[in-house]
Amino acid sequence: MRYFRLLWVAAVLICSSVQLSAQSVDAYRKMSMLLRQQAQENAETKVRDIREGRPTEQLMVGGLVKLAEGEDESVLKDFGCYVIDHVGNIYITLMPADELIPMASSSAIVRMEARPSSHAMTDTTRFVVRSDLADPENYTQNNLPQAFTGRGVVVGVSDQGFDYTHPMFREADGSSRIRRAWDIYTGSGNGYHGIGSVYENSADVLAAEGGRFTNGTHGTHVAGIAAGSPWKNYCGMAWESDIVLTQANLSGADKELIEYLQQDVNRALEVDGYFKEMTERKVNTNNILEILSIKYPMDYATECGEPCVVNCSWGMQAWLLSDYTLEEELFKSLLGPGRIIVFSAGNDGDSDLYDSKKASDPVYDHDLYVSDTLVYMQVRTYDDAKFTFMADGQNYGIEVTAAQVLDHIIQYNEYLGYQIDYPDGRFIVSSYCEQYTDGSYGLTFTISIPQTILDVSSLIRLVIESDADAEIMGQYYKLVFSKEKNCNNPLTVGYPGCLPCMLTVGLTSHRDFVEADDGKIVTFGLNYNPLDQVVSWSGCGPTVQGLIKPDVVAPGYNIVSAMNSLVPLDSKEYKLCEKSFICTYPYGDKDYKMVCLSGTSMAAPVVTGVVALWLQADPTLTTERIKEVIARTSRHLDSRFEYPNYVYGNGEIDAYAGLLDILGLANAIPDLSTNQPERLHITLSDHTLRFDTAVAAAVRLYATDGRLLLSTRTTDGIVPLPEGLADGVYAVQVNTDDSRTTGSTLIRIGR
């Protein structure tokens, strides 16, 4: 993922020949780093096109713009922006790159920002084949409370790689449970805000199959966990919820798909009169489609008058120097009673990203392990500091100070770059710096290393000389402080999951293997932690701001769910998943598979589904209240930790204990167990409780206000209920001589 552009041509030190005005410098400070880069890159492209006689290209870039109080979108339209949507005074818009600096110079505009696209939080090298969803630890239909199924709750899944036709997204009559599907890649232009296509009924959803993005199964698998219908031996968490699927334009979409997306955006712009004089045009949406993919299910839920939880099993590295304040403000505005966003914590907990230097140590001297020819690093130092970068085992290198970089930025508003020439390439360090109100410096370094050097040594030596504290952050897997795969390293929770307003999920493991239908046993040794603990590479806190993340953990290692049947058989994705296939069953005239995958991508939809059950019980729940319930009811798997902590958060989520807490039953019925029977499944049919095992048991039935309605004994596992019970939820307590068949459950009479 490219964050910054390299700006050198053939000089040791590259400087602009034009000094910027103080107004321009202030304007640049209003923009996030990516927009600054895109503004400068666009200006250089225009100069190059004119010099080489090519048609001038008009570039539109996606981003968020916050307007000053009292201003409206006419301000943006005056600059030639295309306004897509807004939340309060934060506008989701496409901006002419030529106008970025003039816009930021306007007093009507408070802030402008964009960031690169995110990626799905399942590393394909972590695909595993094991576990069985009949395991109670993995939350199957068998151990979920039958009284709550997600009915009347919208479960949104923002992702990519969907199969709308899979049986896990069907009603019993074969119609689709997907109430809305937004595919951004169709090029039809009749979708949400004129982008892609929206399918609004069962026939259209099934006819669309899965949209144009077929080379992936991530979204299908995630949606099956959160809300999949019962099929064969498998079932999602909230299997009667209303499903809304949205493509998020995550990194990984191929060139053809992006061209379809460009067609839609260009068509919308043409309708509004944009680009009329331009012979060449280009649109870079940045991260705005990710935001819209979260907002769309919430808009639909508002239309229906239902609560909504949206799952986002994607993200990016949370950098030391974040400049995404508008996105956080927008997310906070979307949240509220009955509006919840769940993010995965990320799978990079084994990446040693962070180090620090104390003021008492005047020299920091450390080797950095590099695995790519282009890497990024950020440093925050609380006074001026001298940085020296050395490659190829040399005792000399590129030297620069924080103050020197800052002076260059203020004067010329471009990255300061140095290089050392080698016979087979150049070692280049580019730097950008800002100074904060507390006097500290924030530096971003882009480092380009010839492959010939990496072939000899994967090390770069970094020396920092300063009498002040400093923090240093590398890049996921590409620039780290240790080559060893250490477990659960700090500051590895991704963005946006690191935001305090999000409900963020790490993953636990409960199985060593899975047995497929053909009897094949497959196991992968990628988890370095023991079973029944957090997985070694689950993203961990604290965040850069010092917050506890993740908020909660859930089973996410070797989870069986739906496989996208549209993935081409000769694709890399299919071949990676092939060893993880668990079973294949026919449905209609087609075969569908279940596949076992691992990641925080799989843990997040477990929590999303649980939240849907909780929202059915109380549609007014907020993120804050849900976090309070989690803190009171989660399971503490690892006795080495105090809770909450940076590895487990508040512990592993407990769907049933949380429901009892939300309904107030733990207080109303003191004798009620807070767990369901481990080895006894209770169902309700024909006004009779039925156990799946005949066992001698004392059975009590309670109303939710604590009134005892029935006290009896059974030896055959059949308990008729009293006549005249009103429709509603009731609690059942079962006591036996075996703790594994003792516990409580919730039942629902009527709908």
Side-chain angles (χ1 to χ4, degrees), residues 340 503 611 614 621-631:
I340 313 296
L503 183 57
V611 169
W614 292 357
L621 287 173
T622 62
T623 303
E624 292 74 18
R625 286 181 61 198
I626 287 172
K627 289 181 179 181
E628 291 169 1
V629 172
I630 285 171

Side-chain angles (χ1 to χ4, degrees), residues 518-536:
D518 61 6
K520 180 175 61 176
I521 300 294
V522 182
T523 182
F524 280 54
L526 294 178
N527 177 23
Y528 304 110
N529 285 347
L531 288 180
D532 302 321
Q533 291 187 12
V534 74
V535 171
S536 58

Side-chain angles (χ1 to χ4, degrees), residues 664-686:
L665 295 182
N667 293 328
I669 312 171
D671 294 334
L672 193 69
S673 300
T674 57
N675 63 281
Q676 293 181 284
E678 179 184 345
R679 298 291 178 88
L680 185 68
H681 181 47
I682 306 168
T683 57
L684 174 65
S685 64
D686 299 327

